[in-house]
Structure formats: C-alpha cells, structure tokens
Amino acid sequence: MSKELKIYKLLAGICLSNNISLQTIVRQMGIQASTFEIEEMVGSLSEQGYISNVEKSPKGVFCSITSTGSEKAQELLETAL
C-alpha cells in the first residue's frame, strides 16, 4: 500500500471515528504502519490542514479533524463508493 493511500485511509478513519487513538484506527482500517509511520502520516495531515490538536499520550496519538479534513474525507469516501 502506498504512503499516500495509507494517509488517505487514515484521514477517512479519523473522520469516521471519534475519540479513538490513531493506533486503533490504523488497525481497524487494515493499515500496516509502525508508530514512526503513524507520526509521519500525522505530520503530513497536519501540514495539509486536515487535522489539528494532535496529542500524544501513553494511551496513543489523538487528534481532531478540521473542516477541510472532513471535506477531503467525505470526497474520498464518496469516490470509494
């Protein structure tokens, strides 16, 4: 799976899930990614303005999706159908 596809699947997962760690979302979406890769994807999504309020804790990495991120995720989900 390409890095870009992983990032977009993660964004769709963030949009569909609420208050769940990104590690859990990655597992649920079937994305093979290490913690380092998750942090890279989070950085990319944050730079693009799709997510905000990134928090790292012992329970995992959490974030909020922005309105731009919601629009992009909705667009991706509609194209997938």
Side-chain angles (χ1 to χ4, degrees):
M1 182 181 301
S2 73
K3 186 174 184 174
E4 183 179 18
L5 182 58
K6 286 182 181 182
I7 290 171
Y8 287 144
K9 281 185 86 171
L10 178 59
L11 179 61
I14 293 168
C15 183
L16 296 171
S17 304
N18 196 12
N19 296 324
I20 297 177
S21 74
L22 299 184
Q23 289 82 350
T24 302
I25 293 170
V26 164
R27 273 194 311 275
Q28 290 176 344
M29 297 296 287
I31 303 168
Q32 296 292 331
S34 66
T35 301
F36 178 75
E37 287 177 299
I38 292 171
E39 290 178 3
E40 281 185 331
M41 290 187 284
V42 165
S44 177
L45 289 170
S46 184
E47 286 174 12
Q48 294 175 44
Y50 295 148
I51 61 171
S52 63
N53 302 325
V54 178
E55 295 180 28
K56 296 177 188 177
S57 77
K59 294 182 180 182
V61 179
F62 297 86
C63 66
S64 300
I65 192 162
T66 64
S67 58
T68 305
S70 289
E71 289 172 15
K72 181 65 175 179
Q74 184 176 8
E75 176 186 313
L76 292 168
L77 291 169
E78 286 174 359
T79 348
L81 298 175

